[in-house]
Amino acid sequence: MNKLYIGNVSAEASEEDFETIFEQWKIPHSGPFLVKTGYAFVDCPDEKAAMKAIDVLSGKVELHGKVLEVEHSVPKRQRSCKLQIRNIPPHMQWEVSANRLLTASRVGHHSGNLFMLPRAMEKLNGSMMENYALKVSYIPDETAAPEGPSAGGRRGFNARGTPRSGSPGLGARPKLQSDIPLRILVPTQFVGAIIGKEGATIRNITKQTHSKIDIHRKENAGAAEKPITIHSTPEGCSNACTTIMEIMQKEALDTKFTEEIPLKILAHNNFVGRLIGKEGRNLKKIEQDTGTKITISPLQDLTLYNPERTITVKGSIEACARAEEEVMKKVRESYDSDMAAMNLQSNLIPGLNLNALGLFPSGAPGMGPSMSSGPPPGAHGGCSSFGQGHPESETVHLFIPALAVGAIIGKQGQHIKQLSHFAGASIKIAPAEGMDAKQRMVIIIGPPEAQFKAQCRIFGKLKEENFFGPKEEVKLEAHIKVPSFAAGRVIGKGGKTVNELQNLTCAEVVVPRDQTPDENDQVIVKISGHFFACQLAQRKIQEILAQVRRQQQPKPTSGAQPPQPRRK
């Protein structure tokens, strides 16, 4: 089904306008545009082209002052009692998501009522779930008979009419296009002025900038600064931020507050390295282009529960506003890149709680953990979702380009110290094996969670510092040691286990033949691949070793006495 419905079309739109848009975004179509009053139809040659049109255009492209809505065209008789809901927060378990969605739409699990669907679709489409704008569309009923020409097209079917015009993203409420909000810190004494009498000022900002603004007044009682989260399009976030800066400036003059009021932006640490750029080039360029001075809080201020860095921008309001646009542009680019990689690879590590590992903030990407009422799940007692209890320490040898050693160590060893502190692992660079060595070995010692965090940051650092091309995936080789008697279990009969391991993880796993065990009777297993592939392979091999260790333990006989030591 490759026919598309284009909604929220201006009366001024023509077939030529749509031809231009599809040509501009390089979206193929296999027939002419059928333009009606308020909507249009077009056929795409295949499903790939149809999905590209939906992802690229829907809610993102404006035509004659109206933001287009694009989705699959589903004839009335082919609509089932099912909705497809996309863009659900990736970290949420499906049971939680389902219950929250049903509560939000007020439609029960077993309603099965076709007439309830437009209502559910209207309530859910574009609504926010932990900063993710939900995208809802009908799932076609492939078993239904196609609607004949005599059915009169869409006339009289209100699901394409009235509910659509009132749905989020159209009319009074613009679509919240940005998946990542703008987070800023403001001095506590200005919070009252930003809110205004009975909330009048904040309501006015929200209305003018088409944004949703959360002022977290109750967090960090007694703190000198309070976080504000702004949800909107990038332009809406910037406009709201500028208005807030102007209000603070006016309040400072009225109260004779003489200290400089910088703009403070909160950003997850995962994005900050790419914001800074190699040798600080990106940050320097933003400073030069905007006439501002920008500093970033040190890495050692981070904790597992507070992975955000504070980006302080000093300059005039106009200069700070321009800097905010550039800073958040870089942050959003990093976020989009990370989420694309996560969507491709997150299924490789079942049950892995990324929030507990500090890779993304609790709640949603771009949101600080302070938004949640407690520590991330699985973070108590140093235990992660990898397993229960206190996981054993592991040693991994990760091989990086020799030229990248300086970037990993940092000036006077600061980066490697901060990385070790953040990950909770021992991280050391082994001496070079020769003058012309092209690789250096990084020795990482720590439990699974620490390994994940440390290796993730090293992979990310190599990408940030451009040791790999912009479109090149970072692939490294890792070595782990296994007892020589367990090597056969990793290989499996006829290589079956290692082949299955490679197919599952997309990593290359090699147990070199004819190895001589070291003094601890251990041999090396080599793992090569991108970050998630390496991680999954390491975890699977550790599972095999744990199984071997369990089988090696003597099984006590029921009712028998504990074994006595032999006399020599």
Side-chain angles (χ1 to χ4, degrees), residues 165-224:
S165 62
S167 64
L170 301 176
R173 241 178 89 194
K175 187 176 182 71
L176 303 182
Q177 294 179 15
S178 178
D179 287 335
I180 187 166
L182 170 63
R183 298 250 301 159
I184 60 175
L185 279 177
V186 301
T188 302
Q189 65 262 41
F190 297 135
V191 169
I194 295 168
I195 295 172
K197 188 176 181 180
E198 298 179 350
T201 304
I202 195 69
R203 280 198 303 272
N204 190 40
I205 299 172
T206 300
K207 185 177 180 180
Q208 290 181 349
T209 61
H210 302 293
S211 58
K212 180 179 180 292
I213 303 175
D214 296 321
I215 301 178
H216 311 292
R217 287 178 291 171
K218 296 181 181 179
E219 292 182 18
N220 304 326

Side-chain angles (χ1 to χ4, degrees), residues 32 66 74 88 102 143 201 214 367 483 566:
K66 287 194 169 187
V74 185
I88 292 174
L102 291 169
T143 62
T201 304
D214 296 321
M367 294 291 291
R566 293 182 180 179

Side-chain angles (χ1 to χ4, degrees), residues 42 50 101-103 105 139 190 194 203 228 281 305 326 359 397 400 423 428 433 461 488 523 565:
V42 69
L101 290 169
L102 291 169
T103 302
S105 64
I139 296 177
F190 297 135
I194 295 168
R203 280 198 303 272
I228 294 179
R281 290 173 190 166
Y305 309 114
E326 294 301 318
L359 298 180
H397 295 166
I400 64 172
K428 296 179 181 179
E433 294 185 354
K461 186 69 173 175
V523 294

Side-chain angles (χ1 to χ4, degrees), residues 28 105 115 127 129 140-141 146 157 190 192 209 258 279 305 324 342 371 374 415 434 477 490 547:
S105 64
F115 297 101
S127 63
M129 175 177 280
D141 186 354
F157 189 61
F190 297 135
T209 61
T258 55
E279 298 176 353
Y305 309 114
E324 179 274 327
M342 290 297 298
M371 298 298 291
H415 184 265
E477 182 174 308
V490 176
Q547 189 178 21

Side-chain angles (χ1 to χ4, degrees), residues 124-159:
L124 292 176
N125 191 35
S127 63
M128 302 299 292
M129 175 177 280
E130 298 191 5
N131 310 318
Y132 283 74
L134 301 178
K135 298 178 181 178
V136 185
S137 58
Y138 287 100
I139 296 177
D141 186 354
E142 301 296 344
T143 62
E147 189 172 16
S150 59
R154 296 183 178 273
R155 292 179 184 175
F157 189 61
N158 291 331

Side-chain angles (χ1 to χ4, degrees), residues 371-443:
M371 298 298 291
S372 60
S373 57
H380 300 285
C383 181
S384 73
S385 55
F386 286 115
Q388 303 297 321
H390 297 280
E392 292 184 9
S393 184
E394 302 170 0
T395 300
V396 177
H397 295 166
L398 190 65
F399 291 83
I400 64 172
L403 295 174
V405 169
I408 299 299
I409 294 175
K411 190 175 182 180
Q412 297 179 339
Q414 282 301 305
H415 184 265
I416 198 168
K417 289 176 186 174
Q418 292 166 350
L419 177 56
S420 179
H421 173 76
F422 174 80
S426 167
I427 305 173
K428 296 179 181 179
I429 310 288
E433 294 185 354
M435 293 293 293
D436 299 326
K438 293 182 178 180
Q439 289 189 319
R440 292 284 292 275
M441 183 170 70
V442 182
I443 305 169

